[in-house]
Amino acid sequence: MSAPVTDKEKRKQISVRGIAQVENVANVKKSFNRHLHYTIIKDRHVSTQRDYYFSLANVVKDHLVSRWIRTQQHYYETDPKRVYYLSLEFYMGRSLTNTMINLGIQGACDEAMYQLGLDIEEMEEMEADAGLGNGGLGRLAACFLDSMATLAMPSYGYGIRYEYGIFTQKIENFEQCEEPDDWLRFGNPWEKARPEYTVPVHFYGNVVYTAEGGRKWVNTEVVLAMPYDNPIPGYGNNVCNTLRLWSAKSPLSFNLKLFNTGDYIQSVLDRNIAENITRVLYPKDNMFEGKELRLKQEYFLCAATLNDVVRRFKASKFGSREVARTNFDLMPDKVAIQLNDTHPAIAIPELMRILLDEEHLAWEQAWTITTKCCAYTNHTILPEALERWPVTMLQELLPRHLEIIYHINHLHMEQVKAKYGDDAEKLKQLSCIEEDGEKRVNMAHLAIIGSHTVNGVAFIHSELIKKSLFKPFFEYCPEKFQNKTNGITPRRWLLLCNPMLADLISEKIGDDWPVHLDQLTQLKEWAEDPKFQDEVMKVKQNNKNKLAAYLKEQTDIDINPSSLFDIQVKRIHEYKRQLLNILHIITLYNRIKKNPSAPFTPRTVMIGGKAAPGYYMAKQIIKLFNKVGAVVNADPMVGDKLKVVFLENYRVTLAEKIMPAADLSEQISTAGTEASGTGNMKFMLNGGLTIGTLDGANVEMAEEMGNENIFIFGMTVDDVEAVQAKGYNAYDYYNESPELKQVIDMIKDGFFTPGNNDEFKDVVDLLLNNDRFLTLADYKAYIAAQDDVSATYNNTTKWAEMAIHNIASSGKFSSDRTIAEYAREIWGMQPNYEKLPDPHGLMDSKENSPK
């Protein structure tokens, strides 16, 4: 076990790729002191770590702004096609380190802070995560922004500036508690408010005919949308794109009724009501809950964004603001709109409303433009996650949009009839209006009808939506369906979070790989080289030591740093089967107790992730894990052979510490339920091995690295269908396996909850009587695969070779590859590896010119 790396050594390592130039360091110091004085208005005697962080953030931002302005000028002058990525979630994490890396100034900033006697790492820890997302979908959007900027694509992220992001998770008395995430409390140095681009968004009201026979939405309540712009720097190419987040503001005339009755105070207080729209992120993941506030958020985002899209299209012909572009038929050549799941699907009727009611286009023309501009990404096949809004709610909140949706559906149904005749079943399957029970609008169906392309997010997922979820649509319009396997940005998920591994890779294959991740395949030639194996495992051990020290500080649990770090981090959900993991932990515990002197591969099993606040079973899973951990960790007979640790408040910044330190990545969802997964890719890129089912992107990971480098187990999608067709009976598996029976009985009989035997009776009931995700059916195969993992871990050479093959095979899973595919195959754009000129002329030093 090697000792943790000292700061001094780490400074040397940061500098391997580029020596910080003396004048750059001097400039950073000067700029830092200036900001402390003029921006923060403090001196060194009274400054806190947070003041230092804000000063450094401002220094770094100074390096960004001219690139930002230049990039936007460049787009304005060249009038390219622009892509608008609409998402209700952007899970950005922190920005400081990422920005320094992408601008090539990390070495200079690090050296400058060192010379000023400050610890840059402590300053980095002051930054709040921008937690504007729940999990995979929001983090994917963040990785995509990084890739679009790195591929120099004229692109804009559009989302909501939630005042409160995903809740902070606290574990109290073994259970999850939620605290609000007041991430803006100290201000956000990266954003720039743009009140001059504020736009009105309308709600409620009614629809009337105009004199010309058109339709007009009147008597509405208005909420203002104020944009906040956040810079998105590309890696080493001087490009800086924009993430625009909208914040709700009450109009000055809000609530005139009260105002005119003289209740001035109340009318001012009531302004909060309008501003509540952007107050808080909904913490539901893979679950639809038809709340009016959520629909308001969705429409608020779409209305404000499309106002921008149309304004920019009209005003942007080769730099002429005077001559507005009025030929909307050109719009699909200039605008691509990507809908990240159905949350922004109301953009389709909203664009129609603008084109019909405000620009006075004919329906056919408006519809052609809308469908050519919009494309839809599906993220899940769980039926409970699909958005189906009650017609009554739309009628009240967005009456004009409901009219438009009805007309879209009417014309669509006419086309369906033309193809299939009066086939009532077909008409029902292909309608976006559901008539069973309460009348609802199926937003996924609306998104498919109103888009030119629909994509899934991994090969198996895209096949499944064609075979099951959207089968009728695939048969009706197969040309619309594509696959775009998800990816992750190698800048944050290797360069930033694992600099020692990044250096090791650069020494072998040069430093082009962060933008051409497929170059990692070159590492395969050293997979069996003992020296390289040793270096890779040393880096891994170092990262494990760091994580162990961090967890000791956080949880006071002593972790054996040479044990196998077995990690499952993701949202807590039945389909992700954290319960299967817990069954394995108890099995290991029982084996140790039964034969304490038998050889045993030491393990530390960690689970991290948040449960939706209203999801009872997910919260029970967390509680069970923590109760099991309490028993295991306190048992002297177990010692440091087995430790069980819950990773509290899992978020982007914690993931950056976890991914580099993992030996084993748990990707154990029931086959056919996880659309893709992206955590799996982060572990793989950092040399963690995967135990997983043939689900989501695991399938393609196994394909890339070969089955001999991954621990695949369990039922396939076909097996799952066969079990379900036969009728799943959990008792068959329970009675067949003595080990499994013992584990379930211990939970049932209160072994982990003395004094309260019924504590987890709902969990046991779920597993034995109504488990949609067939946990017990995969138990035996999972335990066998885990035994294989333990045996392999003891063979260090074999493990190291597999780890190197994992790293070398992760090229496909760069979000750069994903975005290049979206660009060419959906948006009709080209990725671009050329640099924009450096506005400062500073990009001469090696450090400042990543290729």
Side-chain angles (χ1 to χ4, degrees), residues 48-62:
T48 62
Q49 276 302 340
R50 180 166 282 104
D51 296 325
Y52 295 141
Y53 155 66
F54 275 109
S55 286
L56 180 58
N58 278 289
V59 172
V60 173
K61 194 166 66 176
D62 288 349

Side-chain angles (χ1 to χ4, degrees), residues 61 87 106 231 371-372 428-429 468 563 590 744:
K61 194 166 66 176
S87 179
Q106 191 183 21
T371 52
K372 281 185 175 173
K428 185 179 161 187
Q429 290 173 341
S468 58
S563 65
N590 290 340
I744 299 276

Side-chain angles (χ1 to χ4, degrees), residues 411-624:
L411 295 175
H412 170 61
M413 290 288 95
E414 294 299 308
Q415 287 180 317
V416 173
K417 277 184 207 160
K419 181 163 182 167
Y420 293 122
D422 262 332
D423 181 335
E425 190 53 28
K426 275 273 185 279
L427 290 169
K428 185 179 161 187
Q429 290 173 341
L430 289 165
S431 172
C432 69
I433 311 293
E434 297 181 356
E435 310 271 3
D436 300 343
E438 187 182 14
K439 211 169 173 187
R440 292 171 175 270
V441 177
N442 183 314
M443 299 307 278
H445 291 186
L446 178 63
I448 298 170
I449 296 163
S451 295
H452 62 86
T453 304
V454 179
N455 73 282
V457 289
F459 176 76
I460 187 174
H461 170 237
S462 297
E463 290 305 301
L464 280 170
I465 62 175
K466 295 192 295 197
K467 281 212 275 277
S468 58
L469 186 64
F470 299 143
K471 184 169 188 263
F473 281 96
F474 177 62
E475 290 166 353
Y476 176 69
C477 50
E479 70 288 346
K480 279 192 183 185
F481 287 77
Q482 293 190 18
N483 171 244
K484 295 286 167 277
T485 299
N486 284 163
I488 57 172
T489 169
R491 273 74 62 181
R492 184 174 295 266
W493 298 113
L494 181 47
L495 213 49
L496 180 156
C497 71
N498 202 345
M500 290 184 283
L501 181 59
D503 279 338
L504 203 50
I505 293 169
S506 295
E507 279 166 26
K508 288 288 185 205
I509 66 170
D511 48 18
D512 265 357
W513 60 266
V515 275
H516 299 284
L517 201 64
D518 46 351
Q519 291 180 6
L520 291 183
T521 51
Q522 296 170 44
L523 292 172
K524 287 185 182 177
E525 66 175 279
W526 292 285
E528 294 175 46
D529 172 8
K531 187 172 177 300
F532 189 60
Q533 288 180 351
D534 188 48
E535 287 175 320
V536 168
M537 294 319 281
K538 264 209 183 85
V539 166
K540 178 64 76 180
Q541 190 56 60
N542 239 307
N543 291 325
K544 287 172 70 173
N545 295 346
K546 267 167 112 172
L547 182 62
Y550 172 82
L551 292 174
K552 170 68 179 166
E553 196 184 301
Q554 297 291 310
T555 65
D556 206 38
I557 298 172
D558 282 299
I559 293 166
N560 170 4
S562 58
S563 65
L564 190 162
F565 281 17
D566 169 349
I567 306 185
Q568 186 177 21
V569 282
K570 50 186 74 245
R571 287 297 295 254
I572 311 293
H573 200 293
E574 288 159 67
Y575 88 84
K576 295 178 186 285
R577 296 204 296 192
Q578 282 93 354
L579 278 172
L580 186 56
N581 192 341
I582 295 171
L583 298 181
H584 174 243
I585 295 168
I586 302 173
T587 305
L588 290 183
Y589 175 71
N590 290 340
R591 288 179 181 178
I592 295 170
K593 296 293 278 184
K594 188 175 173 189
N595 192 351
S597 56
F600 186 88
T601 306
R603 274 198 197 226
T604 303
V605 185
M606 309 178 208
I607 290 184
K610 293 175 183 177
Y615 188 173
Y616 168 73
M617 191 51 69
K619 290 188 145 181
Q620 286 292 98
I621 291 169
I622 292 175
K623 190 173 187 181
L624 175 61

Side-chain angles (χ1 to χ4, degrees), residues 761-806:
K761 79 172 190 323
D762 294 333
V763 175
V764 173
D765 185 52
L766 172 85
L767 286 172
L768 291 177
N769 298 314
N770 47 22
D771 179 6
R772 291 162 58 200
F773 303 107
L774 318 182
T775 309
L776 302 195
D778 269 338
Y779 171 83
K780 217 167 129 182
Y782 180 56
I783 300 298
Q786 287 284 21
D787 292 344
D788 188 15
V789 169
S790 291
T792 310
Y793 186 72
N794 290 329
N795 179 348
T796 316
T797 305
K798 175 81 182 123
W799 191 275
E801 186 187 328
M802 289 172 75
I804 293 164
H805 274 290
N806 269 262

Side-chain angles (χ1 to χ4, degrees), residues 32 122 125 138 144 165 169 280 315 340 367 533 535 562 578 636 770-771 778 785 787 800 826:
F32 177 84
E122 281 181 29
E125 286 298 317
F144 278 3
Q169 179 192 56
V280 58
N340 194 25
W367 183 242
Q533 288 180 351
E535 287 175 320
S562 58
Q578 282 93 354
N770 47 22
D771 179 6
D778 269 338
D787 292 344
I826 298 181

Side-chain angles (χ1 to χ4, degrees), residues 250-503:
S250 175
L252 292 177
S253 59
F254 185 74
N255 224 337
L256 276 178
K257 290 189 284 295
L258 276 180
F259 189 82
N260 291 335
T261 60
D263 199 345
Y264 162 71
I265 296 293
Q266 195 55 46
S267 72
V268 173
L269 299 184
D270 284 352
R271 292 168 60 83
N272 269 332
I273 297 166
E275 295 172 3
N276 276 336
I277 291 177
T278 54
R279 196 80 67 200
V280 58
L281 167 75
Y282 270 85
K284 291 247 167 190
D285 192 59
N286 281 304
M287 185 66 194
F288 172 65
E289 189 190 26
K291 291 276 193 278
E292 185 182 61
L293 179 60
R294 172 69 165 192
L295 181 57
K296 276 186 172 171
Q297 289 181 341
E298 294 179 355
Y299 178 64
F300 177 81
L301 166 65
C302 295
T305 301
L306 284 170
N307 185 287
D308 254 19
V309 171
V310 172
R311 172 182 60 78
R312 215 175 267 124
F313 166 73
K314 286 165 77 169
S316 179
K317 188 165 165 84
F318 297 109
S320 162
R321 268 180 213 195
E322 292 71 54
V323 188
R325 185 156 32 198
T326 51
N327 181 2
F328 278 90
D329 290 329
L330 300 174
M331 195 163 157
D333 300 331
K334 294 295 174 187
V335 171
I337 296 168
Q338 191 67 36
L339 307 174
N340 194 25
D341 215 327
T342 58
H343 313 141
I346 200 80
I348 291 166
E350 171 63 10
L351 183 52
M352 285 298 288
R353 186 195 66 77
I354 293 170
L355 296 176
L356 296 168
D357 299 0
E358 293 178 15
E359 302 297 338
H360 308 295
L361 271 55
W363 180 281
E364 292 70 25
Q365 187 188 9
W367 183 242
T368 302
I369 293 163
T370 298
T371 52
K372 281 185 175 173
C373 286
C374 295
Y376 156 56
T377 302
N378 171 270
H379 279 275
T380 179
I381 53 177
L382 294 183
E384 65 266 35
L386 296 176
E387 294 195 295
R388 296 153 61 247
W389 290 107
V391 161
T392 49
M393 192 185 287
L394 283 162
Q395 177 62 59
E396 190 195 5
L397 195 69
L398 302 169
R400 178 63 178 130
H401 297 77
L402 185 60
E403 281 188 353
I404 291 170
I405 290 167
Y406 275 143
H407 196 60
I408 289 170
N409 199 53
H410 165 72
L411 295 175
H412 170 61
M413 290 288 95
E414 294 299 308
Q415 287 180 317
V416 173
K417 277 184 207 160
K419 181 163 182 167
Y420 293 122
D422 262 332
D423 181 335
E425 190 53 28
K426 275 273 185 279
L427 290 169
K428 185 179 161 187
Q429 290 173 341
L430 289 165
S431 172
C432 69
I433 311 293
E434 297 181 356
E435 310 271 3
D436 300 343
E438 187 182 14
K439 211 169 173 187
R440 292 171 175 270
V441 177
N442 183 314
M443 299 307 278
H445 291 186
L446 178 63
I448 298 170
I449 296 163
S451 295
H452 62 86
T453 304
V454 179
N455 73 282
V457 289
F459 176 76
I460 187 174
H461 170 237
S462 297
E463 290 305 301
L464 280 170
I465 62 175
K466 295 192 295 197
K467 281 212 275 277
S468 58
L469 186 64
F470 299 143
K471 184 169 188 263
F473 281 96
F474 177 62
E475 290 166 353
Y476 176 69
C477 50
E479 70 288 346
K480 279 192 183 185
F481 287 77
Q482 293 190 18
N483 171 244
K484 295 286 167 277
T485 299
N486 284 163
I488 57 172
T489 169
R491 273 74 62 181
R492 184 174 295 266
W493 298 113
L494 181 47
L495 213 49
L496 180 156
C497 71
N498 202 345
M500 290 184 283
L501 181 59
D503 279 338

